[in-house]
Amino acid sequence: MSTRNDRHLTMGDLRLRIESGEVDTVVLAFTDMQGRLQGKRLHGQYFLDHVVGHGTEGCNYLLAVDVDMNTVDGYAMTSWEQGYGDMEFVLDEQTIRLLTWLPATAMVQCDLEWADHRPVVASPRAVLKAQLDRLAERGLVALAGTELELVVYDDTYEEAFRKSYRDLTPANQYNVDYSILGTTRVEPFLRDVRNHMYAAGLDVEGAKGECNFGQHEIGFLYADALTTADNHVVYKNAAKEIAAQHGRSVTFMAKPNQREGSSCHIHLSLRGADGELVFWDDEAGGRTPLYDSFIAGVLATAADFTLFFAPNINSYKRFADGSFAPTTLGWGLDNRTCAVRLVGRGAGARMENRIPGADANPYLALAAMIAGGLHGIENDLELEPELTGNAYASDKPRVPSTMGDARERFHGSAIARAALGDEVVDHYANMADVELAAYNAAVTDWELVRGFERL
């Protein structure tokens, strides 16, 4: 099932636009471990003459660096000893789109392969595609939507850097949750994002204000899971680029300050290969056993996979009682205090995972949900009773509260290793080790204020 639309270009369309001069730059991009688009800008004619049908290359350290692009130790796929060789960028022609906020520019998203055409299994897109293949073996497809929140500042990125990202001016000075006035104040930016994203092939729903000062959400229609993940990373990158064009900055940090964090709630449902409902039985009047087992599996594995839902040190600052970010692992019907919220009926029946923050890598988060759900299906897990009332006050198991805890659960999980493979688990456990070591070595402002004079 594909939900790419006629705003995406075919390779023939792109060729004509390049030959006519309408497009002169082609961005080749893949998604790295941190969920960022990385790649190259190619001249259009070079792209046609030398890349189409052949692909191009990039250094394999791109899947073995920290957020500052420093090469780090501990990755099996690449090292100084191995010489830091290349990976092949393999064009996915289903992803060709115009980037209308940039002059004469198109983008193609890529898979990664080794020189012998084996997939780079630890690349985020490959991790998700492997879980989608497992669903396909059962005659199932995944539909998904991601709800990303961001905080908008009136400072440019350069000004924010000079201020060490402190004392920035939010685009709104008070809580603008659902406020029309609040979104109007930011509308030139929000409108540009909506319209450019529509032109780039995303199905835009709308924008609304959120709780933190300057916090907003732009929503997009659900699609098949791979399309949703591809669109997610395009939007996230574009929002930053368009903000810069407006003299503003945005952040997708999970917890940029002491107020409400930014989430990435993920809605997920399964369908049969021909689109038939498998989560809902109208004759029985409710959820199917497959749906219940899927939910049970997601809950049973949530702690094992939290590292994919909350991949950074900062991610865990978001999990706080009464914050609309979950702290316990239970499910409820339209209950926003729960980690898993069930919404909709019939064709709209779906689960919402409220654990991920806006800093989550969508490919990895979706792969984790599918792997967990398949664990539930394969083992006929029974769904526990619905949690009613306040999940924060419940006795349910807790969401891991630190990256270190989540790393240990992930690295030691037999379920994660069976679903993803040892290579993937060890790769991302090392990513966590790198971040933990960097954080533990850092002297923070909190420590200086707390201890410079008084200790």
Side-chain angles (χ1 to χ4, degrees), residues 64-96:
V65 292
D66 65 12
V67 72
D68 286 325
M69 300 302 294
N70 298 309
T71 54
V72 291
D73 294 331
Y75 289 106
M77 72 161 59
T78 184
S79 66
W80 291 111
E81 290 72 24
Q82 296 177 69
Y84 285 115
D86 276 345
M87 304 177 289
E88 303 287 336
F89 289 16
V90 181
L91 281 60
D92 184 342
E93 295 186 13
Q94 290 288 307
T95 68
I96 305 173

Side-chain angles (χ1 to χ4, degrees), residues 19 26 48 72 86 92 182 184 218 235 255-256 312 324 337 374 441:
E19 290 174 344
V26 179
L48 292 181
V72 291
D86 276 345
D92 184 342
T184 298
I218 299 175
Y235 158 62
K255 187 74 169 175
N312 298 295
F324 288 102
T337 71
L374 282 172

Side-chain angles (χ1 to χ4, degrees), residues 30 39-40 55-63 84-90 112-114 120:
F30 73 95
K40 305 177 179 182
T56 187
E57 304 81 28
C59 184
N60 61 26
Y61 67 57
L62 291 166
L63 283 177
Y84 285 115
D86 276 345
M87 304 177 289
E88 303 287 336
F89 289 16
V90 181
L112 298 175
E113 291 182 354
W114 300 115
V120 179

Side-chain angles (χ1 to χ4, degrees), residues 182-299:
T183 49
T184 298
R185 296 277 296 277
V186 193
E187 177 61 0
F189 164 68
L190 297 175
R191 178 175 179 269
D192 254 9
V193 174
R194 293 195 307 272
N195 289 337
H196 285 305
M197 291 303 91
Y198 183 82
L202 283 71
D203 291 318
V204 183
E205 292 184 356
K208 65 173 288 293
E210 292 287 347
C211 299
N212 201 337
F213 299 166
Q215 189 179 48
H216 294 265
E217 177 184 307
I218 299 175
F220 301 91
L221 191 65
Y222 71 91
D224 68 88
L226 185 63
T227 298
T228 287
D230 289 341
N231 288 344
H232 176 121
V233 294
V234 169
Y235 158 62
K236 195 170 181 180
N237 191 75
K240 295 177 183 180
E241 293 178 346
I242 296 168
Q245 292 172 350
H246 281 255
R248 285 178 149 152
S249 56
V250 301
T251 184
F252 290 93
M253 286 181 67
K255 187 74 169 175
N257 52 42
Q258 297 301 314
R259 287 188 59 89
E260 296 82 3
S262 291
S263 65
C264 175
H265 300 150
I266 299 179
H267 292 250
L268 182 68
S269 66
L270 301 185
R271 295 281 178 89
D274 295 323
E276 64 269 23
L277 300 186
V278 298
F279 270 8
W280 197 267
D281 186 338
D282 281 324
E283 291 185 5
R287 300 191 309 270
T288 63
L290 183 141
Y291 188 9
D292 281 1
S293 291
F294 191 91
I295 300 162
V298 171
L299 286 171

Side-chain angles (χ1 to χ4, degrees), residues 7 9 17 22-23 96-101 105-107 199-200:
R7 297 188 304 283
L9 304 183
R17 290 172 189 257
E22 183 180 348
V23 169
I96 305 173
R97 64 183 90 225
L98 292 175
L99 308 186
T100 56
W101 62 99
T105 301
M107 174 185 283

